[in-house]
Amino acid sequence: MKKVTITLVLITMCFISCKKEIKTEVATANDSLAVKTEEPLIEEPVDSAAQMKAWQEYATPGNPHKMMADEVGTWNCDMTFWSEANGKPEKATSVAVIRMILGGRYQEADYKGTMMGQPFEGKSTLAYNNASQEYTTTFIDNMGTGMMVAMGKYDEGKKSMELKGEMVNPVNGKKTPYREVYTIVDPKTRKMEMYDVKNGSEYKSMEIVMTKK
């Protein structure tokens, strides 16, 4: 009986030992398969003087803002619209009053006119971000309830800026890309061209020729 007991104890100990080895092997295998997470990037500390200088440069209007300020005044706008590529053009007119706001940091324009036989009012803003070195434009009007937002850069050689954004098509509720090209023709003439996408193809949907009074 004593021998049988000793034998059972030895078998039990071996069984427990085997289970521990199996668990250890599984744990080791799982550890090797585990995805190692990267340590978060830690920004280099910046002294207070450098921070202050960066914020001052960010907040100070520069040459792009002077270019925007050159447009302050009243402009007659000759507007042409197309509903599709090679479609019949429709005409409209408006008057834009442009001003600089918030210490010369942003440009704001108010448009008033007639479109499709209805009174038309619109408001646009234009900003140049010193940090990202790009322009942002927004536009709202009484012909809808959405805001158009586009971003882009100015090409000194072409004297124009290209801005890209998205708008929601009210017919199907889907977002669709659009593109604006704004050209400085001469000191008293500006041209804004807008391109929409229809059936997967881009077409020119609007052109505004602005003449300063």
Side-chain angles (χ1 to χ4, degrees), residues 9 14 23 28 34 65 70 80 84 89 95 100-101 105 110 115 123 138 143 150 156 163 177 186-187 210:
V9 171
C14 287
K23 285 183 179 179
T28 304
H65 301 91
D70 288 341
T80 307
E84 59 185 3
V95 175
M100 295 299 288
I101 61 173
R105 292 175 175 83
D110 287 316
M115 188 180 297
K123 181 183 288 288
T138 68
M143 298 290 183
E156 180 63 37
L163 305 114
D186 59 49
M210 303 173 63

Side-chain angles (χ1 to χ4, degrees), residues 70-72 74-77 98 182-191 208-213:
D70 288 341
E71 298 182 340
V72 169
T74 302
W75 299 72
N76 290 325
C77 302
I98 298 177
Y182 186 82
T183 305
I184 299 176
V185 180
D186 59 49
K188 289 193 174 184
T189 309
R190 301 290 189 269
K191 182 169 70 173
I208 303 176
V209 177
M210 303 173 63
T211 306
K212 195 171 188 179
K213 285 187 176 183

